[in-house]
Amino acid sequence: MELKDLSSNWRKLQATFPAKQAAAAAPTPKRKASTNEPHNGIKKRKTSSPTKPISAGKKRNATKMEDPESLNSKGRPSTSLALWAEENDIPAADIAEAYGVSLKRTATQQQIPPPLPPSSSQINAGLSETAEIGKYLSLDCEMVGVGPNPAESSALARVSIVNYHGQQIYDSYVRPLEYVTDWRTAISGISPSHMRNARTFSTVQKDVAKLLEGRILVGHAVRHDLEALLLSHARRDIRDTSRLGLYRQLSAGKTPSLKRLATEVLGWEIQTGEHSSVEDARACMALFKREKEAFEREHAVRFPARKVKVGEGEEGGKTARKKKKKKRKK
């Protein structure tokens, strides 16, 4: 090839350089980086925008984070929270809504606060000076054996009363009116040494009668306790956990024991050794509160409200009728 031909071809090639350089200098639109494309061999996790609203209609499987102090391992309110809510009169429905707890549970599934620790019981303390008495009181007694056949004859040896929240209202040892032939210490927890500071029967009887006056009495087969105290109480004002139909179903219609009800309904272990009348009274009150509506329904059937007639007065229930004076014929 001649030199002149090479020079002409070179000039033609140089003429195309400015066009290619201008095209290279023009800005190219950047492609949006995909969050799913691998970068340096690592695939990034797709994350949702923090500002994107979440539709209320969509269901999410994400686990709701809760305060570990407020919920137990099963997602239910802890016993401390339940007890706190109860003492502050916070409705159970509000707690259920706040923590997503279903109220439609059986007795054994429902979260029930455990019994108060033994340190909260003041043995033989008499009448509490701090606890509020309230409308509902739960009563339980411990007995000892008397007479020639102590297995069948009993006498009062201890009385305990708690309020609606399970707080101790009254507790006292009682000096039996008869000679004790069997202290039943393994069951009753009563021994002769307890009688040194025990109150007389008449003192305890008066104290209990004053507490129960005008209040709702809760107990388990409570008539036996009243008989031991030589007291009576209006049947209309008694709520007996041994008579509730719902609880009797657990024992095929028979009278269930307090220990069985505490275990199967409340999940409490009571009467494992020497009995505590304070603990038993608290169990009775918890059982009553657990099915309070059922108690009141059965109570309304047994004791229907008395209908008051319109215009009923105090004199024999009839209004005095004015006799019309007959006009005498002249």
Side-chain angles (χ1 to χ4, degrees):
M1 183 180 292
E2 296 183 1
L3 183 60
K4 63 178 181 178
D5 294 334
L6 181 60
S7 298
S8 60
N9 291 336
W10 176 249
R11 284 195 297 270
K12 291 178 182 179
L13 181 61
Q14 284 183 332
T16 62
F17 285 169
K20 291 182 178 181
Q21 291 177 355
T28 57
K30 294 183 179 180
R31 188 178 64 175
K32 184 177 180 181
S34 174
T35 56
N36 295 324
E37 289 185 358
H39 180 67
N40 294 333
I42 302 175
K43 187 175 182 179
K44 294 182 179 181
R45 181 181 297 175
K46 185 176 181 180
T47 57
S48 59
S49 174
T51 58
K52 184 178 179 180
I54 300 175
S55 174
K58 294 182 178 180
K59 295 182 179 179
R60 303 195 61 176
N61 296 326
T63 303
K64 184 179 179 181
M65 298 299 293
E66 297 287 358
D67 183 2
E69 297 294 331
S70 301
L71 293 180
N72 59 18
S73 59
K74 295 184 179 180
R76 302 175 186 172
S78 66
T79 53
S80 59
L81 175 64
L83 190 58
W84 172 83
E86 179 183 348
E87 291 178 349
N88 289 273
D89 295 327
I90 299 176
D94 293 347
I95 295 296
E97 183 179 359
Y99 292 97
V101 181
S102 174
L103 294 179
K104 296 180 180 179
R105 289 178 176 160
T106 62
T108 55
Q109 291 175 324
Q110 188 74 341
Q111 184 68 17
I112 301 292
L116 298 177
S119 59
S120 64
S121 304
Q122 301 298 323
I123 298 176
N124 200 37
L127 181 64
S128 173
E129 297 179 355
T130 57
E132 298 263 348
I133 299 177
K135 178 181 178 181
Y136 299 91
L137 291 178
S138 180
L139 168 71
D140 191 79
C141 299
E142 296 296 341
M143 313 291 183
V144 291
V146 296
N149 191 0
E152 297 182 3
S153 300
S154 301
L156 184 68
R158 186 183 178 187
V159 177
S160 299
I161 298 175
V162 301
N163 65 8
Y164 188 77
H165 299 292
Q167 298 170 329
Q168 180 178 311
I169 297 297
Y170 187 86
D171 185 72
S172 178
Y173 290 123
V174 185
R175 294 175 191 168
L177 295 176
E178 301 177 56
Y179 182 77
V180 178
T181 53
D182 184 3
W183 291 95
R184 305 175 184 171
T185 305
I187 298 176
S188 68
I190 307 295
S191 66
S193 61
H194 293 142
M195 296 298 104
R196 296 172 187 170
N197 299 317
R199 294 171 179 82
T200 63
F201 179 89
S202 59
T203 299
V204 174
Q205 183 189 50
K206 291 177 182 177
D207 291 343
V208 174
K210 186 175 181 180
L211 285 170
L212 298 184
E213 185 177 0
R215 292 185 169 91
I216 305 298
L217 174 60
V218 179
H220 190 82
V222 72
R223 66 182 181 87
H224 297 303
D225 299 320
L226 292 173
E227 288 174 358
L229 282 160
L230 300 180
L231 292 174
S232 62
H233 198 71
R235 292 178 59 196
R236 181 181 292 273
D237 295 333
I238 292 177
R239 306 293 185 271
D240 197 323
T241 56
S242 70
R243 294 177 60 84
L244 183 67
L246 186 63
Y247 290 158
R248 294 176 73 92
Q249 292 177 6
L250 298 175
S251 56
K254 299 179 181 179
T255 302
S257 68
L258 179 61
K259 179 180 176 66
R260 180 175 184 176
L261 290 178
T263 301
E264 298 187 17
V265 179
L266 302 176
W268 294 7
E269 290 296 332
I270 64 172
Q271 301 177 356
T272 54
E274 295 180 358
H275 293 195
S276 167
S277 50
V278 174
E279 185 180 63
D280 291 352
R282 285 172 176 160
C284 288
M285 184 60 79
L287 288 167
F288 167 68
K289 291 164 62 177
R290 176 64 183 83
E291 296 294 343
K292 188 171 183 292
E293 293 183 359
F295 272 101
E296 298 307 325
R297 284 196 300 269
E298 288 195 5
H299 180 268
V301 173
R302 292 175 184 170
F303 304 97
R306 178 173 173 267
K307 296 180 180 180
V308 180
K309 297 180 180 179
V310 179
E312 183 176 352
E314 296 181 356
E315 298 179 2
K318 296 182 179 180
T319 56
R321 295 181 179 178
K322 295 181 179 180
K323 294 182 180 180
K324 295 181 180 180
K325 294 182 179 180
K326 293 182 180 180
K327 295 181 179 181
R328 293 180 181 178
K329 294 182 179 179
K330 293 182 179 180

